[in-house]
Amino acid sequence: MRQFVVIGRDVPTDPDAVSLSDIPGAGRLDLCCRCVSAGVFLSHGIRESVRIHLVIADEFTVTFDSDTLRHLHPDERNVAARVRDALDAKDDAIGHMPADVSQGVELRRMGLDATLDRLVGADGRGPDGTLVQLHEEGDPLVDAEPPDHPVFVLSDHHDFTSEEAAAVADRSERRLRVGPELLHADHAITVVHNWLDTDGYTAY
Ligand SMILES: C[S@@+](CC[C@H](N)C(=O)[O-])C[C@H]1O[C@@H](n2cnc3c(N)ncnc32)[C@H](O)[C@@H]1O
């Protein structure tokens, strides 16, 4: 399983504030949608065992699960419509029980801390994986060993805030950079997939 946590701190939590004719205007939701597409889609196909978690306004987390997703298309409008559906269902998310939005899409009433706890625990080592922060000043990816069940955390168009950086650092000291240039988050996801697909650039 590969998982990506994307922080979308400016995305509105009110579904009525998400206009499909102005997706960037919804707190750069376009970036988050491209992260979902880069995470789950191949050309003419869908990846196995990938989950993308969009943390919205540190209040809700919308999860896309590639193994159970149905009828999702890679274009931003289609993904944004699913995020809006998820926000529309937020009243059904009670405590830490998710709201089922559609097959393969769930919304949880959880911000970054609770989502990281759910995915990797307070110590960053389980239940589901090893936490890795993707950061432009991290250690080079090429020198690292691909973890078995990585959970990568990325920011959107902003820097990580000090609270977000601390939430990640408390659970993991591991920071990796995918290359020398600052990339869009979705492009960084594509590079990471390629690193894992090639077992650390060793198997083509
Ligand atoms: C556009 S960048 C964030 C904005 C940036 N910190 C700034 O100065 O405006 C989006 C995210 O993609 C990831 N990212 C971008 N370039 C990267 C790189 N070279 N290595 C690792 N992660 C990268 C990071 O998680 C980053 O927070």
Side-chain angles (χ1 to χ4, degrees):
M1 172 70 67
R2 302 173 186 177
Q3 303 193 71
F4 297 88
V5 177
V6 180
I7 299 169
R9 71 182 66 79
D10 296 338
V11 175
T13 58
D14 176 359
D16 294 338
V18 176
S19 162
L20 296 187
S21 30
D22 181 14
I23 300 170
R28 296 306 312 274
L29 177 58
D30 60 315
L31 285 173
C32 296
C33 294
R34 288 199 289 276
C35 287
V36 173
S37 295
V40 300
F41 288 111
L42 294 163
S43 179
H44 302 291
I46 193 149
R47 286 183 174 274
E48 289 177 9
S49 295
V50 178
R51 286 188 195 143
I52 311 291
H53 309 274
L54 300 183
V55 180
I56 295 180
D58 205 22
E59 237 186 293
F60 296 102
T61 296
V62 181
T63 297
F64 291 78
D65 179 346
S66 72
D67 290 337
T68 49
L69 269 175
R70 296 287 176 272
H71 312 301
L72 187 74
H73 301 281
D75 62 281
E76 283 163 34
R77 200 179 154 82
N78 198 273
V79 179
R82 216 53 85 85
V83 172
R84 192 174 63 174
D85 291 347
L87 293 171
D88 225 3
K90 65 185 178 194
D91 289 346
D92 298 341
I94 296 165
H96 284 173
M97 291 299 293
D100 276 324
V101 180
S102 53
Q103 258 190 295
V105 184
E106 292 179 333
L107 172 137
R108 286 182 173 78
R109 195 174 285 277
M110 288 183 178
L112 182 64
D113 249 318
T115 293
L116 294 181
D117 271 351
R118 188 173 82 81
L119 299 181
V120 298
D123 63 356
R125 300 216 148 262
D128 279 355
T130 306
L131 194 66
V132 179
Q133 184 180 16
L134 286 177
H135 195 282
E136 54 274 18
E137 290 165 12
D139 298 325
L141 197 65
V142 71
D143 296 335
E145 195 66 36
D148 279 344
H149 297 287
V151 179
F152 299 97
V153 188
L154 302 94
S155 182
D156 52 8
H157 55 298
H158 297 296
D159 273 338
F160 288 91
T161 64
S162 48
E163 290 83 9
E164 290 161 357
V168 179
D170 283 350
R171 296 169 175 87
S172 167
E173 307 242 304
R174 204 159 179 201
R175 287 203 320 179
L176 293 178
R177 91 176 105 112
V178 301
E181 302 288 355
L182 182 63
L183 304 179
H184 290 296
D186 57 316
H187 297 174
I189 289 175
T190 301
V191 176
V192 166
H193 268 319
N194 180 255
W195 178 58
L196 296 172
D197 289 344
T198 58
D199 198 13
Y201 304 128
T202 61
Y204 280 78

